[in-house]
Amino acid sequence: MKKHVLKYRKRWLTGIAIYQLLGGLVMLILLFSILMGQEVSPGVILAIIPMVALSLVSLIAGIMHFIKGNEVRFYTLSKLNFCAQLLQLAIPPGFTYRFYYGPYLAVGVDTDRMFTIKFETLTANFGFSFGTQDEGLLVMLNCIPLFMLIVLRWIERNKIASPEFEGAFIEGSQQEV
């Protein structure tokens, strides 16, 4: 798999950038379409700030790839966004966290120590709450962002040298003194 990814690195990076762009754009559009029909209170604004921030990180990562190419900022923002999508938690005192867009394939354990597999194809999902929910313990690992993180690390660690600078120190022009 690693050889395939490295052979077609431009396609993989373009696909990841499109995934980032579309995910961030869909999340922002859904957010603003939901908010337009409601009265916005300070509590709602406070709850929406993380969602907007994560969506903007995704959007900026995709834009960075198409404007600047394979730059450190693209890798950093993409990894940050995928790390935010990696884990889904529900802890009994009432804390829950979910964030993902696009396809979702997660494996984990629940309250009864049962192995759980979830697959969904939602456009976007974000949930963050404190309270007294009746949910039990749930720890899920989203496999799609994990795979994307692995692909990004393979490509980032195996960069190809730019042909215009190849051998510049060895075959550079020499000046006579």
Side-chain angles (χ1 to χ4, degrees), residues 122-166:
L122 295 174
T123 53
N125 189 359
F126 181 81
F128 183 77
S129 64
F130 288 108
T132 57
Q133 296 93 326
D134 291 332
E135 292 183 32
L137 177 68
L138 177 69
V139 179
M140 302 289 286
L141 183 67
N142 191 350
C143 297
I144 293 172
L146 179 63
F147 176 71
M148 296 294 187
L149 279 167
I150 292 169
V151 166
L152 281 172
R153 288 301 293 158
W154 284 342
I155 293 171
E156 188 178 26
R157 288 184 178 186
N158 296 296
K159 290 184 179 179
I160 50 177
S162 175
E164 62 191 49
F165 298 116
E166 199 169 298

Side-chain angles (χ1 to χ4, degrees), residues 4 15-16 32-33 75 79 83 88 91 102 104-105 110 114 118-119 122 126 144 158-160 167-168 174:
H4 173 76
I16 290 171
F32 290 119
S33 67
Y75 290 113
K79 289 186 287 187
C83 284
Q88 176 181 340
I91 300 175
Y104 173 76
L105 174 65
D110 61 7
M114 298 296 292
K118 284 187 178 182
F119 177 75
L122 295 174
F126 181 81
I144 293 172
N158 296 296
K159 290 184 179 179
I160 50 177
Q174 297 179 357

Side-chain angles (χ1 to χ4, degrees), residues 15-71:
I16 290 171
I18 290 170
Y19 179 79
Q20 295 277 36
L21 273 171
L22 290 177
L25 191 62
V26 166
M27 189 72 91
L28 288 172
I29 289 171
L30 286 174
L31 173 69
F32 290 119
S33 67
I34 290 170
L35 288 178
M36 288 300 174
Q38 291 186 17
E39 189 175 311
V40 181
S41 67
V44 170
I45 291 174
L46 184 63
I48 289 174
I49 289 173
M51 184 177 174
V52 170
L54 290 171
S55 300
L56 287 176
V57 164
S58 177
L59 198 62
I60 291 169
I63 291 170
M64 280 294 173
H65 174 73
F66 289 113
I67 292 177
K68 300 267 185 171
N70 301 338
E71 192 177 284

Side-chain angles (χ1 to χ4, degrees), residues 87-104:
L87 199 60
Q88 176 181 340
L89 292 171
I91 300 175
F95 172 77
T96 59
Y97 172 78
R98 280 183 313 279
F99 171 65
Y100 58 91
Y101 49 80
Y104 173 76

